[in-house]
Structures are given as structure tokens and as C-alpha cells.
Amino acid sequence: MMIGNLSRSSSARLSNRTSGLNSPRHSFSVSSFSHRKWIPFSAAAPSLISIAGTFFLSALLLAFACALYLYLLRGTFFTGFAVPEEKCDVFSGSWVPDTTYPLYNSSDCPFVERGFNCLANGREDTGYLKWRWKPSTCDSPRFDAREALERLRGKRVVFVGDSMSRTQWESMICMLMTGVDDKNSVHEVNGNSISKTIRFLGVRFEGYNLSVEFFRSVFLVQLGFPPKHGPKRVKTTLKLDRLDDISHRWVDSDILIFNSGHWWAPSKLFDLGCYFQAGGLLKLGMPITSAFKIALETWAFWVETMVNTNRTHVFFRTFEPSHWSSNKKVCDMTQQPSSEAKGDDRSEFGEILAEVVGKMRVSPLVSSWSP
């Protein structure tokens, strides 16, 4: 997920210049006032009150006309003294060709996992890289690495999830590195190479006091041993009512991005002897979707009770396509983005996520976007 401000806002401050009877323009002496002769106005002459009333109504009409112009012609509206621009739905749009892309060269980035570095693995065509996401009703600004680094200075960004989250983490680091002059100032905190088997990976941008971290937690809840005297087919269990035992390391972050979904499948669970557990009891007949909902409710409770949402911006990525084009894990060398969703998009998981998030006291951003 690109971290940046996708909508620009402007504000207009309005101030009233008042000129009352205490103004220098209206000063006078008592003596000069007492020696003046009063000449009555004729009946046809306007009074001071009527002149002031006319001026006030004219000013009010002018202000209303300006507000109407801003609302109808510029798509803005007054909120106090601010004039925010019309909101942009960045999630509704399409991919458009753009020869200025990609935003980084994966072969030049040391944090790209080898299995996902198409160019280094011998792919010769590059047209599939030259696409840009274009919202339907607006245009999002191009990613500016230096501006993003300044906005993230002194921050801690944490990704939590499966390999889809890890590759997004890799992509974000590579995008940010294009704005760093001294590449040696960017390093993995434990000197580890990027690997799917490591539960924690953290990259420091020393020049910006910025940490971008990844925690591998494919289910978000605890994976543990089954209860004693359980069926032999049960090798491990997912404790649906307990968040992952490394969750305490996710707090105190400024941006916290979650994802889960691809491992919630029979081939990753039942076929490997992994079943569900809640309240210390095995739930052998529980459907995967029901277990997924309970796990998300556990996650939601954790966010509400453990995360300071006044500081931390929480995101949850919706279920996205797999790395592979088919179940046989064969790369079909896709040339261009699909114009519409095809196949098993697992929308049921998205509906469950929307339901759980909709009941939360805080409001994490549910996002399907990735860089």
C-alpha cells in the first residue's frame, strides 16, 4: 500500500475587517459635535439604518453567491472557514498505460525476494510494468519518494499477514529507496536476507529515522498444539479467540496494515491436520468461513483495546488474487491487467470483513489497493 496523501486539500481563511465608531475614521470631538447645527433629512432621503441594512443584505447576498459558485462549479463546500476539495474514491477506477512506469527497477532493489524478481529471473518483456491505476472521477498524484520519506520521518510502519503482505512490504521499501541518496543507510535490522520463512523482517531508513517492518502471521490468531486426548487427525489447532502471540510487537506503530485470507483453505488447514479451537474446545465441524469471522472478531477486539487509534492508522487489506495464475502454480506471463475480476474472488471473505469492521467502535480503513 502506498503511503501518501491521495487527495489534496486547500483552505481559505476568511477575516472580517470591521470599522466601528471607535475606529479612527469615525473619531470626533465632543465640542465640535455640540456646535453643529442639525438639518433634518427630507422624507425622501434614506436613513442611516436603511443604508446599513442595504449594505448588510448586499454583503450577505455576495457571500451566498460565492459559496454557491464554490459548491456547484468547483465541487467544494464550506466547513467553518475551510473549503475542502471533493473527495476522490481511489478504489474505483481502471489500469491505464503509462510509459513512465515502473516506479522502481526490481533488479536494483536489494529487498526484492528472488522468486518475485521477474527481470532477474529472465523475463525479457517489460510492457506489463508500464501500467498506472487511474481513479474514475479524479487523478491521484504520482508517487514522490522524497515527499513520502519526509512524511514518514520518525515513523514506524508495520505490515502483518501472509506473503501478499510481505511482497507489498518489499514493494514499498523499494519505492522509498528511489528517494534515498545513500543506499547503504538502508538495511535490514538483523542482517537477514528476505525470506518467507522468517517471522520478522525490519528495514531501517537511518537518514529518516524510519522503520518499515513485516511480521508473518498468516492467520492473525494463535497456532498451537491440540488439547489432550483429541482425535489423532488433529495435529495443530487455530485458537480463534487468541491473537497471535507476537501481537504485542505490533502496537506502538504509526501505520499498521493487516491482511489474511489465502491460508483459510482446506489445503492449508484440514489437509495438514489443522483444526479450530475456541474456549479450549475443539470445533471439528466448524466451517472455515465461521472460523474466519471469529478470528476477525478477535482481531477487532484487540485493535479496540490494545491500539491507540489516535496515533496509529489501521488498515486491513481485502482478499486479493493469488500469486499464481492457476492451482498448478504456473506463471502464465500476464501481459496486461485484467479489465474485470475473474474466477474465484473469494468475495465471501470480503463480506465477512465488512461486517466485522462495520461493528467496530473504531474505523480501520478496508483497502484492496497495493503498489
Side-chain angles (χ1 to χ4, degrees), residues 134-284:
K134 171 68 172 66
S136 300
T137 59
C138 58
D139 201 356
S140 58
R142 182 181 175 87
F143 179 77
D144 187 321
R146 293 186 184 275
E147 180 181 355
L149 286 166
E150 286 298 335
R151 288 176 178 269
L152 293 172
R153 182 182 290 275
K155 304 295 184 183
R156 180 177 179 235
V157 181
V158 173
F159 290 81
V160 180
D162 55 28
S163 59
M164 303 302 294
S165 188
R166 187 182 70 253
T167 52
Q168 186 181 29
W169 168 80
E170 294 173 15
S171 181
M172 179 182 178
I173 292 171
C174 293
M175 291 165 65
L176 291 174
M177 280 198 68
T178 62
V180 177
D181 295 326
D182 182 9
K183 308 300 183 185
N184 293 325
S185 66
V186 183
H187 61 91
E188 205 283 323
V189 293
N190 294 317
N192 291 320
S193 299
I194 308 304
S195 170
K196 64 182 180 181
T197 60
I198 300 177
R199 291 210 70 187
F200 168 75
L201 293 164
V203 170
R204 284 280 298 173
F205 290 76
E206 294 294 351
Y208 294 87
N209 190 26
L210 165 64
S211 295
V212 186
E213 305 170 10
F214 167 73
F215 290 87
R216 186 176 185 269
S217 179
V218 298
F219 297 109
L220 302 182
V221 292
Q222 284 188 22
L223 181 67
F225 296 105
K228 294 181 179 180
H229 310 297
K232 291 184 178 180
R233 70 177 186 272
V234 180
K235 307 300 181 183
T236 57
T237 61
L238 281 183
K239 298 179 180 180
L240 303 175
D241 51 359
R242 296 185 183 182
L243 211 63
D244 198 319
D245 54 9
I246 61 172
S247 59
H248 65 280
R249 300 179 63 185
W250 307 341
V251 297
D252 296 329
S253 55
D254 297 283
I255 300 173
L256 185 53
I257 306 111
F258 294 92
N259 96 295
S260 185
H262 279 286
W263 284 67
W264 293 86
S267 60
K268 302 284 189 179
L269 292 167
F270 307 142
D271 294 353
L272 301 178
C274 183
Y275 290 83
F276 307 125
Q277 183 178 349
L281 301 175
L282 280 174
K283 304 292 182 179
L284 297 177

